[in-house]
Each structure stands twice: as structure tokens, then as C-alpha cells.
Amino acid sequence: MTGLARHLPILLVIAAVCCVASCGHDEPGGKRPGNNGNIVNNDTTTRDTTGRVTPNDTTSRDTTGRDTTGGSPSSTFTLKLSAERDYGYMGQTIQLYATTSADATVKWKSTNTLAATVNNEGLVLLANVRDDCETHIIATANNTSDSILLHNRAWYTALKENGTWATGEHRKVHRGDTLAVTIVDQSLHLINDNSFNASACQWVPACYETDINTIMSTIEAPSQANGWQAKWVMAPGAPVNVTFTITAHYNGAASTLSLIVLP
């Protein structure tokens, strides 16, 4: 017994080592021997070169640490078209405005250039027309478009006959008559719209058969007070059966009245 007791500590150490080897417990850090005696690492923890644990975080972050995994918020480009008004009279201009959510080059287009044209700055010029008409003006940038419908209102040179306004060719006038001429809309009504600057009209009488001054003379210039009527008086000795014209010009647009002199 005395000899066994003396060797007991050594036996206990041997037994403990054998137990560990037979049980195959993982080494610290998740390592254990493989079948060939090599150490197998079952630890999936990511570590840096110093052995420190690094998180298995797959979140994308910017330099400030903000999560950018989902990408930057999608921004939709917008374009909105506006105008100072949606109508005008032939010869007038209308300024259009394109408001965009970001800097972009805006291209302009008129769907009916016989009614109006538009330049690269969105300035619309209403064309010389015979009847009221319309056009869509389209603004496009970054594959985004907006449009606005503009109305071109025609106007006409008209002669007052028996208290009403008349247009067209070969209106009959007589020697000594007073001619009151103005501009009217398609319904033969005076244009009382403040947007139409009738004072900008230029009146041009002309005769290809004789000197216009032998036919009539000016007695009153057009003004707002007289409804923008231009007035002439026919000469008592005006040549008979002569045709002459009175044309109103307004910023490139024009309307002509044709008259014939009777005794």
C-alpha cells in the first residue's frame, strides 16, 4: 500500500491525459485534432491579423458609417411647364418656363408650326393665321416631357359699314366717305383684351393703280380712346373703280382689307 500510495499522483495524471485524448474534446478556440493528427479549426469567427475578432457584418457603409447597403435613395427627375398665359393673338409672343428638379438642357417643340413656333429659350411666336387655331408646345429634358396647349387667335382688318364691322375683299366705298378701320377678332368683335397692344399696329394704305394720296387722306390716328380706329376721308375727286388696300401690320402678322372706289 505504501508503494501504491507513492505512485498514485503519477497514475492520476496519466489517466487524465488518456481521457482527454479519447474523448476528442475541442481545443480552446474551437480547435481539435483531425484523423491525421492535424488541428481542425471549427471557429467561423472572422479575425484580423492580430487575432482580434472582426464582426461578420456584410452591411455596406460609407465613410461616415452610414448604412449604404440599399444604395442611395432613387431620385426621379421632374419637369413642369408653365406659361404667362395660354392664348394670344397672331404676331404676339408668349414666354414659357420649364422648371426642372435638376440642371438639364431643355428642348422645345411645337406640334403645329403653322399656329406657332418656339425657340430654344421657350419663347413662342404666334404665326400669321386665317382662323383661330392651337398647338401643343412640348418641353423635354432627360427623357421627361411636359406640354401646354396654346391658342392662337386670329384678327382681321375691318371696315365699319352701317354700324357693323366687315372684312374681306372689295368693300365698296364712295367719294367723300369717311373710313373707320380697326382690327376685330374672328367673331368681328373689337379686341378689348389688354394683352393685345393694338397701338403697335401699323396701318399701311396702298394702291397699285395710282397714288394713294389721290384717293384718300388721314384724318385720325388710331388710339385707345377711339377703339384703335384709324380714320381716313375719301377724296371728292378720287378715281372711280380703282381698288386699293389697307393693311394692319403687327409684329410680323398682317391682315389686309381690299376696297373699291365708287362715285
Side-chain angles (χ1 to χ4, degrees), residues 81-124:
L81 193 58
S82 61
E84 51 192 7
R85 60 185 186 280
D86 64 359
Y87 75 93
Y89 297 90
M90 62 183 195
Q92 287 189 306
T93 57
I94 300 176
Q95 181 64 58
L96 303 187
Y97 305 93
T99 302
T100 59
S101 58
D103 290 340
T105 299
V106 178
K107 295 183 178 180
W108 301 86
K109 177 183 177 180
S110 171
T111 59
N112 181 7
T113 55
L114 296 179
T117 56
V118 59
N119 68 10
N120 293 332
E121 304 301 324
L123 183 64
V124 175

Side-chain angles (χ1 to χ4, degrees), residues 27-69:
E27 294 290 330
K31 299 178 182 178
R32 65 178 181 180
N35 293 333
N36 56 5
N38 294 329
I39 299 299
V40 178
N41 189 351
N42 291 331
D43 184 6
T44 60
T45 302
T46 304
R47 302 175 185 274
D48 61 17
T49 56
T50 65
R52 291 177 300 182
V53 174
T54 58
N56 291 326
D57 184 5
T58 60
T59 301
S60 299
R61 302 180 185 275
D62 61 16
T63 55
T64 64
R66 291 178 300 185
D67 184 359
T68 61
T69 304

Side-chain angles (χ1 to χ4, degrees), residues 34 42 50 72 78 92 99 102 121 125 128 132 142 154-156 165 182 184 196 206 210 219 229 233:
N42 291 331
T50 65
S72 58
T78 59
Q92 287 189 306
T99 302
E121 304 301 324
L125 173 62
N128 193 54
D132 293 356
N142 290 352
W155 52 266
Y156 309 87
W165 295 104
T182 191
V184 295
F196 185 78
T210 186
I219 60 172
Q229 296 178 41
V233 61

Side-chain angles (χ1 to χ4, degrees), residues 117-180:
T117 56
V118 59
N119 68 10
N120 293 332
E121 304 301 324
L123 183 64
V124 175
L125 173 62
L126 300 179
N128 193 54
V129 295
R130 296 180 62 88
D131 298 291
D132 293 356
C133 56
E134 60 190 28
T135 182
H136 281 92
I137 303 297
I138 303 173
T140 303
N142 290 352
N143 295 321
T144 302
S145 299
D146 193 17
S147 66
I148 189 169
L149 180 64
L150 295 182
H151 303 272
N152 184 353
R153 298 180 179 176
W155 52 266
Y156 309 87
T157 305
L159 173 71
K160 180 171 280 189
E161 291 182 346
N162 300 320
T164 61
W165 295 104
T167 63
E169 297 183 352
H170 304 303
R171 309 310 309 182
K172 297 176 181 178
V173 295
H174 301 268
R175 292 172 171 176
D177 282 354
T178 296
L179 307 183

